Amino acid sequence: MNLILLAQDDIVTTTRARVRDPRRLTHLRQVHRAKCGDIMTLGVENGLLGRGELLSLTDEEACFDISALDQTPPAPLPVHLVLALPRPRMLARSIEHATSLGVKRLTLLHSRRVEKSYWQSPELDPAKIHQHLVLGLEQARDTMMPSVETAKGFRPFVEDRLPELLKGRRGLLAHPGMSVACPRGIDDEVVLLIGPEGGFIDWEVEKMLEAGCEGIHLGERILRVETAVTALLARLF
């Protein structure tokens, strides 16, 4: 936990915050080995961050001085990530990795090779998704909460939603076998589409290319979804 991310419910006054949830309290005691008077990195969800003093720490709560939070969070990546829904364990890691790298817009998409049972996973509960987003922000010392939406129908997404997303943005479809290597260090606003295990089926690839996407690849190796997410974002930006 490189940042103690404070939700609005944690804010007591303009200069004081209070943390009461067991996860953060346990981390403060066992990992940071925090004690009163320590100066720690704090941030307010969707707000500023900076250094603040730990005023008190008990088994029930930790209180902080937040009067000196005056830094803006890191700049977001100029990307809307469209990710075919991975298996639940992989979904959690992918969300955390993408959030740590600066993704602020994420769409979870259904495709032919996505198991329908994945949509029933507890990992898709908004509270669980929020938890993974928080973990990603804490890792990266960021405060700006990403938005996550779902698209359970591939055809409505590719025919209705995708053309709107591509207005003013460059669509990049990451898929094995594409003829163009993933570009490096671009400055464009991007919609990045990544398939499930096994990739998109041919018809899905054709529909996304017809919508205006460019097909790109990362080489001959076939990567796990969370590895591909990290590798593509790092290479693109």
Side-chain angles (χ1 to χ4, degrees), residues 9 178 197:
D9 290 346
M178 295 289 99
E197 292 181 63

Side-chain angles (χ1 to χ4, degrees), residues 173 175 178 200-209:
L173 168 61
H175 186 72
M178 295 289 99
F200 292 111
I201 63 171
D202 291 344
W203 177 83
E204 292 168 341
V205 171
E206 291 172 6
K207 296 296 289 184
M208 287 184 282
L209 294 177

Side-chain angles (χ1 to χ4, degrees), residues 18 22 29-30 32 76-77 109 127 142-143 159 164 220 236:
R18 178 176 57 211
R29 290 193 299 266
Q30 297 183 2
H32 287 287
L77 293 184
L109 175 67
D142 192 357
T143 62
E159 293 181 353
E164 289 296 318
E220 298 179 358
L236 285 168

Side-chain angles (χ1 to χ4, degrees), residues 85 87-89 91 116-125:
L85 184 67
R87 65 179 65 249
R89 186 177 300 175
L91 171 63
K116 292 182 179 180
S117 62
Y118 293 174
W119 290 101
Q120 309 304 317
S121 169
E123 291 295 335
L124 282 173
D125 183 274

